[in-house]
């Protein structure tokens, strides 16, 4: 299939792009490089297309000219603390940007989309595990904006016959199995790369915030899922898209690890 990955030069987006290329698909990245890395896209001279997802007309031209079959939509702003400081940006890029993508698809006759969503749409739950039918009660502008994107997909599926999938995942982690690509953000805030940077001497220390959580060792427990597993899940969802239907899938390892366990 011919696939366009919005945000395809970012960490998860580029991992999915490289995975799909390895599976024999013809894949392109559409990215403004505000956070993405040009070199994360193989054959970037031909496969990396520069642009903003809010530029609907340009995006529609790309979809048409590249004869795209499916869009994988990763482009977004995705920091929970930043969303609290600047919710307007999150609604603009995440929701307005997603509507722009969907409208560009309508204009180009493309009706299949896989959305990179988030477990943050569930909010803070007391449940030991979450299912796709768990209540979505987001508590941050980031989670709320992503839940709104999912609602938009459902409405486009019902009204225009789109086939949609929303992928709700937890903490993406890891690198390509050959070690060529991994997390490489300009401003890193994720635990695993911070721990590795401290081990390499790039950072002086790793700070642990909180030691009195109701967990076995008192530190926060999260579900870390390997980026290649996320890529495989997106590929499987792409193959299962059904016109007029909007599905949602959780992606996780099913095993929680605490901050202290990750450090160890």
């Amino acid at each position: 299939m011919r696939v366009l990955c919005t945000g395809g030069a970012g960490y998860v987006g580029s991992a999915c792009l490289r995975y799909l290329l390895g599976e024999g698909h013809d894949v392109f990245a559409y990215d403004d490089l505000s956070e993405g890395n040009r070199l994360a896209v193989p054959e970037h001279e031909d496969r990396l297309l520069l642009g903003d997802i809010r530029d609907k007309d340009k995006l529609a031209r790309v979809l048409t000219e590249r004869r795209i079959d499916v869009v994988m939509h990763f482009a977004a702003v995705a920091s929970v603390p930043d969303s609290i400081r600047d919710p307007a940006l999150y609604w603009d890029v995440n929701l307005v940007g997603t509507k722009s993508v969907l409208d560009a698809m309508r204009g180009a006759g493309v009706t299949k989309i896989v959305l990179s969503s988030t477990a943050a749409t569930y909010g803070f739950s007391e449940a030991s595990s979450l299912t796709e039918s768990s209540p979505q009660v987001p508590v941050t502008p980031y989670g709320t904006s992503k839940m709104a994107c999912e609602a938009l997909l459902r409405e486009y599926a019902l009204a225009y016959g789109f086939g949609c999938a929303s992928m709700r995942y937890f903490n993406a982690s890891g690198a390509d199995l050959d070690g060529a690509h991994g997390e490489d953000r300009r401003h890193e805030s994720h635990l695993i790369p911070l721990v590795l940077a401290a081990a390499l001497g790039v950072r002086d220390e790793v700070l642990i915030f909180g030691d009195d959580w109701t967990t076995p060792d008192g530190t926060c427990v999260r579900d870390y899922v390997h980026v290649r597993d996320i890529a495989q899940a997106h590929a499987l969802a792409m193959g299962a898209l059904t016109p007029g239907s909007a599905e949602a899938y959780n992606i996780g390892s099913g095993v929680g690890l605490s901050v202290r366990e990750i450090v160890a």
Side-chain angles (χ1 to χ4, degrees):
M1 303 190 78
R2 295 177 68 84
V3 183
L4 184 71
C5 295
T6 70
Y11 171 46
V12 176
S14 68
C16 288
L17 180 145
R18 293 188 299 273
Y19 180 87
L20 291 171
L21 284 173
E23 293 294 301
H25 299 283
D26 198 7
V27 197
F28 302 89
Y30 185 88
D31 202 298
D32 65 3
L33 296 183
S34 58
E35 293 293 337
N37 297 287
R38 185 185 302 271
L39 296 180
V41 180
E43 306 167 39
H44 57 268
E45 297 87 353
D46 299 317
R47 296 196 179 276
L48 175 58
L49 312 171
L50 298 179
D52 189 311
I53 56 171
R54 292 165 292 184
D55 188 342
K56 180 181 66 177
D57 294 338
K58 180 175 183 178
L59 187 51
R61 287 196 303 272
V62 167
L63 292 168
T64 301
E65 292 168 359
R66 301 286 173 162
R67 296 180 287 110
I68 297 300
D69 300 307
V70 182
V71 171
M72 285 201 179
H73 182 32
F74 298 96
V77 281
S79 165
V80 169
D82 286 349
S83 78
I84 295 169
R85 285 190 290 268
D86 190 5
L89 174 66
Y90 277 68
W91 283 102
D92 186 36
V93 174
N94 292 355
L95 184 59
V96 175
T98 297
K99 183 178 184 298
S100 174
V101 170
L102 291 169
D103 289 341
M105 290 172 62
R106 283 189 70 200
V110 181
T111 58
K112 294 181 177 181
I113 182 170
V114 178
L115 170 69
S116 174
S117 189
T118 173
T121 63
Y122 294 117
F124 301 133
S125 172
E126 295 298 321
S128 59
S129 61
L130 294 169
T131 70
E132 287 82 355
S133 59
S134 295
Q136 287 182 283
V137 190
V139 295
T140 66
Y142 169 57
T144 306
S145 69
K146 281 292 193 175
M147 187 174 73
C149 293
E150 291 189 15
L152 202 56
L153 262 63
R154 288 193 296 272
E155 292 174 2
Y156 274 61
L158 290 172
Y160 310 121
F162 275 40
C164 309
S166 295
M167 314 302 284
R168 301 170 186 160
Y169 50 93
F170 296 77
N171 289 61
S173 60
D176 285 6
L177 301 185
D178 62 5
H181 298 282
E183 294 192 69
D184 186 19
R185 295 181 181 83
R186 291 170 179 81
H187 305 288
E188 189 55 72
S189 61
H190 289 192
L191 177 61
I192 291 175
L194 291 178
V195 170
L196 293 174
L200 290 167
V202 178
R203 294 177 61 89
D204 292 333
E205 60 187 3
V206 173
L207 299 177
I208 297 177
F209 298 97
D211 60 2
D212 57 354
W213 295 87
T214 54
T215 62
D217 64 16
T219 63
C220 188
V221 172
R222 297 184 183 276
D223 185 309
Y224 294 88
V225 58
H226 197 280
V227 71
R228 184 175 175 85
D229 292 329
I230 292 175
Q232 184 186 36
H234 278 72
L236 291 169
M238 179 178 73
L241 293 173
T242 303
S245 176
E247 304 294 337
Y249 304 99
N250 288 349
I251 312 174
S253 67
V255 178
L257 291 172
S258 74
V259 174
R260 289 190 184 277
E261 287 175 315
I262 291 292
V263 171

